[in-house]
């Protein structure tokens, strides 16, 4: 990660200069100065390359003079259409363009402080790397960039606008680290331990183990955990940031599925691609990163984060297809398929959340079903909700942050699919509408409270680079939910 600084617009004498340019806009400010210093080489080069400033367009001019190693022009599209999300994407391109330079200056002096800050956030987000376990990477393959200076008209204002974005970026990085960790390292106990780091941000962290969960009658979660030698954990994180004095409102609650590895259990998954199931804890990872983001920027809201952490393994002590377990709510579940384990974990954590915190709403995140990838691909998370206001707020926050969510239906006809002949419900509803019946299952534990469920199986991990994320763990949901809180539940 390069250092990101906000500086006055002065021409660098070396290194890279990046020019984010709007469509058809003449070179101005620092860009015009650079053009003059290079004897017009920049304007000539851009003209020859037919650079028009279109969104996503990028042109590199090598050694244009004035000591610069290169000038990179990045198109922003029409300046009247430029939103934070576009500035961030441009920042992501900038991160790629300057990775091999030691220092780079970005001429953002024509942008407002908030757009320049968003661009800086894009640079930061795209610069993420998970390289803990690489011991033999060649020097020339490593990014060299140490410092990216964003040259802006008002450095103090831009810096202030960036401060909360830095906190959110830190949250995103925490999530990406957790989700990227291999499953032999990130066991439920290890993941819980890492939550403790949030105490230094002012988050209260409480960790419950199997003993406590037995007392709480977490039969559904413990049924999943029983096949593994790794003990389960539940972590409760509290950020009480609402201004004191006012009548305390109910807290917001975010709940994450944290299956640190999902073999499927006795209903074991095929070998091909099973390694992907290390990121079956992405819901939990997202909630943890979200709590870090909210606390890091001192969000003015009371927020509870809960994660259920288990490993789903086959063994002589594993849960069987056909087992009936009793959830903390008292409802019984016939376990038809031990690979439909996430909903079992969520059932108990959600019940606990309601009983203990009486939340204003609950949003759960889970890499819950392969079926959501069939329905929506990797472009949208599946959004399920019993509350239209909450749902439309999440959809809107998804649009502004670029973490899109698409609302899916719920209904009695789907709920019928999970009726059991011998228990209150079964844990699978057959192939048709697999993501919906999974959501129906969860809904049976929310007691009619305002609730939304995000199935992030298709969005938590990306097989290709994205505008503001390298391929790998995306931390989908951290920014979306941070925005949801900021927009509607603070102050
Ligand atoms: N963790 C998986 C869902 C998943 C699949 C996430 C692919 C990411 C990529 C979940 O626990 C699971 O196994 N779901 C089953 C449910 C089925 C048994 C009803 C599935 O989707 O196949
Ligand atoms: Mn599974
Ligand atoms: Zn799973």
């Amino acid at each position: 990660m390069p250092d990101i600084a906000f500086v006055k617009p002065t021409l660098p004498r070396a290194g890279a200069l990046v020019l984010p340019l709007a469509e058809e806009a003449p070179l101005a400010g620092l860009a015009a100065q650079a053009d003059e210093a290079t004897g017009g080489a920049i304007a000539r080069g851009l003209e020859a390359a037919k650079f028009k400033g279109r969104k996503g367009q990028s042109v590199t001019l090598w050694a244009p003079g004035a000591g610069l190693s290169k000038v990179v022009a990045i198109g922003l599209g029409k300046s009247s259409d430029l939103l934070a999300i576009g500035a961030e994407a441009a920042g992501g391109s900038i991160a790629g363009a300057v990775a091999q330079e030691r220092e780079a200056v970005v001429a953002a002096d024509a942008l407002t402080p908030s757009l320049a800050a968003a661009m800086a956030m894009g640079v930061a987000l795209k610069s993420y790397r998970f390289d803990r376990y690489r011991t033999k990477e060649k020097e020339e393959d490593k990014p060299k960039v140490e410092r990216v200076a964003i040259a802006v008209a008002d450095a103090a204002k831009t810096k202030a606008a960036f401060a909360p974005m830095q906190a959110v970026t830190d949250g995103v990085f925490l999530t990406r680290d957790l989700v990227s960790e291999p499953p032999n390292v990130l066991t439920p106990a290890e993941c819980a331990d890492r939550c403790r780091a949030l105490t230094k941000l002012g988050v209260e962290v409480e960790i419950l183990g199997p003993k406590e969960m037995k007392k709480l009658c977490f039969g559904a979660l413990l049924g999943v955990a029983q096949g593994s030698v790794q003990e389960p954990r539940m972590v409760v994180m509290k950020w009480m940031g609402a201004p004191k004095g006012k009548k305390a409102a109910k807290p917001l609650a975010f709940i994450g599925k944290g299956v640190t590895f999902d073999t499927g259990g006795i209903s074991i998954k095929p070998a091909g691609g099973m390694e992907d199931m290390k990121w079956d804890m992405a819901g939990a990872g997202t909630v943890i990163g979200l709590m870090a983001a909210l606390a890091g920027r001192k969000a003015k809201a009371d927020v509870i984060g809960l994660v259920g952490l288990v490993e789903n393994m086959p063994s002589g002590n594993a849960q069987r297809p056909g087992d009936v377990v009793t959830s903390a709510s008292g409802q019984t579940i016939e376990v038809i398929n031990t690979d439909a384990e996430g909903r079992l974990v969520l059932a108990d954590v959600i019940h606990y959340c309601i009983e203990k915190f009486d939340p204003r709403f609950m949003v759960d995140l889970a890499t819950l079903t392969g079926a959501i990838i069939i329905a929506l691909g990797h472009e949208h998370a599946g959004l399920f909700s019993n509350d239209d206001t909450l749902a439309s707020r999440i959809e809107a926050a998804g649009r502004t942050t670029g973490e899109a969510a698409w609302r899916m239906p719920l209904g009695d006809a789907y709920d019928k699919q999970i009726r059991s002949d011998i228990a209150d419900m079964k844990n699978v509803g057959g192939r048709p509408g697999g993501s919906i019946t999974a959501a129906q299952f969860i809904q049976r534990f929310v007691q009619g409270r305002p609730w939304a469920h995000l199935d992030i199986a298709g969005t938590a991990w990306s097989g290709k680079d994205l505008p503001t994320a390298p391929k790998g763990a995306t931390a989908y949901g951290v920014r979306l939910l941070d925005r949801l809180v900021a927009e509607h539940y603070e102050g």
Side-chain angles (χ1 to χ4, degrees):
M1 246 299 273
D3 280 337
I4 290 178
F6 297 99
V7 301
K8 283 204 214 87
T10 43
L11 207 56
R13 296 174 192 288
L17 176 66
V18 180
L19 309 177
L21 294 170
E23 225 164 280
E24 319 293 359
L27 296 179
L30 193 53
Q33 274 180 51
D35 189 44
E36 207 177 296
T38 58
I42 295 175
R44 279 195 305 277
L46 294 183
E47 172 87 40
K50 301 193 168 53
F51 180 83
K52 300 275 193 270
R54 277 193 300 270
K55 199 180 250 182
Q57 200 182 8
S58 146
V59 165
T60 302
L61 308 173
W62 294 97
L68 298 170
S69 61
K70 66 174 174 180
V71 165
V72 184
I74 303 264
L76 298 176
K78 286 210 183 68
S79 61
S80 55
D81 294 347
L82 185 63
L83 301 173
I85 188 177
E88 277 173 23
S93 312
I94 292 169
V98 304
Q100 293 306 319
E101 304 289 325
R102 197 175 302 282
E103 297 217 350
V105 173
V106 180
D109 45 333
L111 298 180
T112 62
S114 65
L115 286 175
M119 186 172 281
M121 187 181 189
V123 174
L125 287 170
K126 190 63 179 273
S127 302
Y128 176 80
R129 282 177 43 100
F130 186 75
D131 50 13
R132 278 197 128 163
Y133 300 103
R134 292 173 174 273
T135 68
K136 297 188 166 179
E137 197 173 22
K138 293 199 201 87
E139 271 316 305
E140 67 259 34
D141 293 338
K142 290 185 190 164
K144 310 264 164 336
V145 59
E146 288 169 7
R147 182 169 187 267
V148 177
I150 317 282
V152 287
D154 190 335
K157 243 194 183 154
T158 312
K159 208 171 161 185
F162 184 67
M165 298 183 191
Q166 177 67 64
V168 175
T169 302
D170 291 345
V172 165
F173 279 27
L174 173 58
T175 300
R176 289 180 184 169
D177 281 347
L178 293 170
V179 174
S180 303
E181 283 286 8
N184 59 330
V185 172
L186 200 88
T187 59
E190 172 66 18
C191 188
D193 275 345
R194 293 206 189 174
C195 294
R196 286 217 175 88
L198 300 193
T199 49
K200 65 175 188 291
L201 297 172
V203 178
E204 241 179 88
V205 179
E206 189 191 354
I207 302 176
L208 288 79
K211 253 199 228 128
E212 291 84 7
M213 293 195 242
K214 255 169 229 148
K215 256 194 225 135
L216 291 164
C217 302
F218 273 23
L221 183 153
L222 288 168
V224 177
Q226 77 187 32
S228 174
V229 297
Q230 301 295 338
E231 286 187 356
R233 296 284 186 272
M234 177 170 73
V235 185
V236 182
M237 291 159 280
K238 283 187 225 170
W239 167 251
M240 305 306 264
K244 302 290 163 257
K246 277 201 229 164
K247 186 183 166 295
K250 293 178 176 188
L252 318 178
F254 298 98
I255 298 153
K257 166 182 172 181
V259 177
T260 61
F261 194 72
D262 181 13
T263 64
I266 295 298
S267 313
I268 198 162
K269 289 180 181 294
M274 201 200 277
E275 68 279 7
D276 283 352
M277 286 300 113
K278 74 169 184 181
W279 47 263
D280 209 20
M281 40 57 68
T286 304
V287 169
I288 297 164
L290 172 67
M291 295 306 289
L294 294 171
R297 68 170 182 79
K298 301 211 176 339
K300 292 190 176 59
D302 292 341
V303 184
I304 314 291
L306 295 120
V307 297
L309 301 164
V310 299
E311 186 178 57
N312 188 22
M313 286 294 217
S315 81
N317 195 44
Q319 159 162 278
R320 293 151 289 258
D323 283 4
V324 173
V325 295
T326 304
S327 67
S329 72
Q331 299 181 90
T332 57
I333 303 158
E334 185 186 8
V335 178
I336 299 293
N337 188 321
T338 64
D339 198 11
E341 83 297 341
R343 61 199 77 179
L344 297 170
V345 172
L346 289 172
D348 283 344
V349 179
I350 286 173
H351 181 77
Y352 176 85
C353 176
I354 295 171
E355 298 300 308
K356 178 100 183 188
F357 298 110
D358 183 24
R360 177 158 174 197
F361 68 65
M362 294 179 285
V363 177
D364 79 76
L365 296 109
T367 48
L368 204 64
T369 66
I372 202 66
I373 309 176
I374 304 304
L376 300 175
H378 302 285
E379 314 308 323
H380 290 85
L383 166 64
F384 301 82
S385 183
N386 58 4
D387 186 295
D388 291 343
T389 305
L390 180 58
S392 60
R393 287 175 175 181
I394 290 173
E395 287 174 312
R399 281 190 294 270
T400 46
T401 57
E403 295 185 332
W406 194 264
R407 187 146 181 208
M408 302 278 289
L410 291 164
D412 288 343
Y414 296 109
D415 194 71
K416 279 195 187 126
Q417 286 178 233
I418 56 169
R419 286 185 184 167
S420 160
D421 292 334
I422 69 159
D424 297 334
M425 70 196 87
K426 54 185 181 182
N427 75 330
V428 295
R431 300 244 307 154
S435 304
I436 307 174
T437 52
Q440 291 294 159
F441 182 97
I442 298 171
Q443 190 175 20
R444 287 191 180 212
F445 295 87
V446 305
Q447 299 181 34
R449 311 267 186 141
W451 154 79
H453 157 60
L454 284 163
D455 192 335
I456 59 172
T459 53
W461 190 270
S462 177
K464 57 179 205 295
D465 283 2
L466 299 175
T468 54
K471 77 175 188 186
T474 61
Y476 174 97
V478 173
R479 301 177 51 217
L480 160 68
L481 297 174
D482 172 71
R483 190 101 287 272
L484 174 75
V485 173
E487 201 101 310
H488 301 289
Y489 303 98
E490 286 188 56

